[in-house]
Amino acid sequence: MANETFVKVAYIGLQKQDGSLMLNVPLYVKASELNKSGMTETQEKTISRITEIMIKRYEKQLTDYFLSLKEKSKKEEL
């Protein structure tokens, strides 16, 4: 166990009920049989997949956030 290596692959952002940021929690993947990039082929695939999922999630969050700002702005104009 002393020689185990973990690679940080993403952060999961926790939010309070009001939507404000509470905490970012790092997500790690256990690494073994490292190649020249420092990971196994399976880990590289896993990290790529996690990255795709997280990017889509953050894109949706940003889109929702900007839409809510637009709606709020429209309401304030009335």
Side-chain angles (χ1 to χ4, degrees):
M1 273 201 162
N3 293 331
E4 291 181 335
T5 303
F6 293 86
V7 178
K8 190 181 324 177
V9 295
Y11 283 92
I12 298 173
L14 302 178
Q15 295 179 332
K16 298 177 186 175
Q17 285 184 329
D18 66 2
S20 63
L21 184 62
M22 183 170 65
L23 180 67
N24 281 331
V25 179
L27 178 62
Y28 292 88
V29 174
K30 186 176 177 181
S32 58
E33 300 178 22
L34 305 178
N35 59 20
K36 64 181 179 179
S37 68
M39 294 176 278
T40 66
E41 184 177 329
T42 301
Q43 289 162 336
E44 286 179 351
K45 288 179 184 177
T46 302
I47 290 169
S48 293
R49 183 66 183 133
I50 290 169
T51 301
E52 288 174 27
I53 292 168
M54 297 305 291
I55 287 171
K56 286 179 185 176
R57 178 178 171 89
Y58 289 129
E59 284 176 344
K60 182 183 180 335
Q61 286 179 343
L62 286 171
T63 300
D64 292 346
Y65 174 73
F66 288 120
L67 286 174
S68 71
L69 286 179
K70 281 184 180 180
E71 289 175 13
K72 183 179 177 182
S73 177
K74 286 180 183 178
K75 288 179 184 177
E76 290 175 354
E77 289 177 0
L78 297 177

